[in-house]
Amino acid sequence: MKFSIMVNEGPYQHQSSDSAYQFTKAALEKGHEIFRVFFYHDGVNNATCLTVPPQDDRHVVNRWSELSKKYNLDLVVCIAAAQRRGILDDNEAKRQGKNASNIAEGFRISGLGQLIEAGIQADRLVVFGD
Amino acid sequence: MLHTVNKSPFEKNSLESCLRLSKEGCAVLLFEDAVYGALKGTQLEATVVEALKSKKMYVLLPDIEARGMRAEDVISGVQTVDYAGFVDLVAEKATVQAWL
Amino acid sequence: MDGEGGVIKKFLYVNRKAPYGTIYALESLEVVLIGAAFEQDVSLVFIDDGVYQLKKGQQTTVDSGIGVKDFSKTYRALEGYDVEKLYVDKKSMEMRGLSTSDLNVDVEVLDDAQMADLMAQQDIILSF
């Protein structure tokens, strides 16, 4: 079965990113397809490569990146929500005249249409948030 | 239909609204802080027992255990699932509504 | 924009949070506006504190009041995007001492059973 996942909260502040990760991983291990993981609201903060958690803690951002690499996951960050919260890729940084970008490996920035498409294309949409 | 609730029923009304606005025969999964609603001996127990008469109730065991409780602390009739079981529930039901 | 190869699904947006205190209401509305271009079968429901999103007379701008833009007028513009099915949970409205005359858009008021039916008919539910 084809799932899409929506993540609405940032890493570390709220469990929803952890729950979404565990759900996504379990679905993939069961042989389901994840059409897309869409990050919205503060969920866009899951995509910053500048995170430095304590060494004895999980690395929420890297964990998503690694899952993406292993399963070729499509991790999409909402551009409007990302711009508000300072998550930029190289193109956006250039376009907005900023001197740095901070998107982590495996994530891409795109529009809200990607969320609607994720709903249309998948059999199920599961929302994790606060 | 599957309803997911992730808020403590002692803090938010998500579970209350979920039970009020869901149909007989639906499934309700409690996870994250909502797992406190699945425990024996709380003020919520009667509400959950009543809901069990017409709805299937599930609770995510890793969230129960993380918070210092065990499967035997869960109200009888509420089924425990792991993340794989959560995935199965989503796959079995046609839609999912998250009571954020 | 075409509905992705002609597929039309029932999309329900569930709004349960008050405006301004958190950004959920505003960013939910942004999804609705973008989503309208996909020509899906869209409904919006307002439950619990979500009914406050539709309260008439919201007064704030970037330069006055709380310094945040009043986005409540956008709900009135939804009709222009062919988003016309707006539903309010009767009990949530009554609990808050509100009636439809306090709201700035036309809505249909649903009782518990009607709301449960509406939710059960959907394909995709986006919750905020």
Side-chain angles (χ1 to χ4, degrees), chain A residues 3 5 9 13 32 38 44 48-49 62-63 72 76 78 83 93 98 102 119 124 126:
Chain A
F3 294 97
I5 310 292
E9 295 300 324
Q13 177 76 19
H32 293 294
F38 191 86
V44 300
T48 171
C49 66
N62 287 359
R63 209 167 55 172
N72 199 23
V76 178
C78 169
Q83 285 181 339
K98 303 290 181 186
N102 59 344
R124 301 284 185 275
V126 191

Side-chain angles (χ1 to χ4, degrees), chain B residues 40-58:
Chain B
K40 288 176 195 162
T42 77
Q43 272 188 24
L44 254 296
E45 186 171 2
T47 305
V48 172
V49 168
E50 183 59 31
L52 280 167
K53 291 177 185 166
S54 61
K55 290 158 195 180
K56 289 203 166 149
M57 304 277 294
Y58 301 86

